[in-house]
Amino acid sequence: MADDSPAAESEATGSEKPGFLRRWLVDPVIGQLKQGTSPDKMAWTIGAGVGLGICPLLGTRGWLCFLGAWWFKLNQPVIHAFKSLAYPAHLALIIPFIQLGQWIYREPPLRITLGSIRTRVAEDAMGFLHDFGWVVLRAASAWLLVAPLVIVILKFILTPVLRKVGLREKEGGEGAG
């Protein structure tokens, strides 16, 4: 007996829409691998997108990714996609980077929340910079210590995975053509 469900029909016709992550992250990465980008370079790109995407300095993530991709000749759309994927981690890590920066420079920990930062910036951005400029620089220096580790760890985790995906796609592509 044939299955007349919509899921079976979409499987048969191949018209099922891919999910958000598949469409905006997985498929572009696979597409780049099919076009000849090395798994090693793609792993560096993804790692850089995440590592630069967690920078605690508000308003700098896009520029950092643009300049990093340009300087190291990495894929701009992919690095920005993974920067965007890292946005929740970026928000979650602002306070830990502030506290780590305080610890590194042997300053007392701050009693601060993301909400209090947002309120203070909205009320008086220049006053915030005057009062918290050194705190922001200490947070940035903490990020400068952590980000390279994040990038390298992701590179070494992702390279073998991307090699397997690239081999599978090449084998599948040769048999189909």
Side-chain angles (χ1 to χ4, degrees):
M1 175 131 197
D3 186 359
D4 292 333
S5 69
E9 186 177 316
S10 69
E11 276 182 31
T13 61
S15 64
E16 185 177 337
K17 289 186 179 181
F20 178 82
L21 289 177
R22 174 131 187 122
R23 181 175 181 202
W24 292 103
L25 296 175
V26 175
D27 288 347
V29 168
I30 291 173
Q32 290 299 308
L33 293 171
K34 283 181 178 179
Q35 292 177 20
T37 301
S38 74
D40 197 55
K41 191 152 196 164
M42 189 55 58
W44 280 121
T45 304
I46 294 168
V50 174
L52 298 174
I54 61 172
C55 179
L57 301 178
L58 301 174
T60 61
R61 297 169 349 109
W63 285 104
L64 285 171
C65 286
F66 171 75
L67 293 172
W70 173 74
W71 185 266
F72 293 105
K73 296 177 178 36
L74 303 174
N75 185 288
Q76 287 283 351
V78 171
I79 198 171
H80 285 281
F82 282 89
K83 171 207 53 146
S84 297
L85 183 67
Y87 187 70
H90 158 72
L91 290 178
L93 291 171
I94 290 173
I95 301 299
F97 279 130
I98 288 172
Q99 300 300 6
L100 179 60
Q102 293 293 101
W103 180 80
I104 290 169
Y105 289 94
R106 295 190 169 110
E107 295 289 333
L110 297 176
R111 297 180 64 101
I112 193 167
T113 65
L114 199 54
S116 66
I117 292 172
R118 189 175 347 157
T119 302
R120 181 65 199 272
V121 169
E123 288 173 356
D124 181 17
M126 291 309 290
F128 172 82
L129 287 176
H130 180 268
D131 295 343
F132 292 100
W134 287 108
V135 171
V136 170
L137 289 175
R138 288 191 288 267
S141 65
W143 167 76
L144 283 171
L145 294 173
V146 171
L149 296 172
V150 169
I151 293 168
V152 169
I153 289 168
L154 284 173
K155 188 267 184 217
F156 284 107
I157 290 171
L158 292 172
T159 299
V161 172
L162 292 171
R163 282 189 183 132
K164 286 182 182 177
V165 169
L167 287 174
R168 189 172 10 166
E169 291 302 320
K170 283 182 182 178
E171 289 171 359
E174 289 172 4

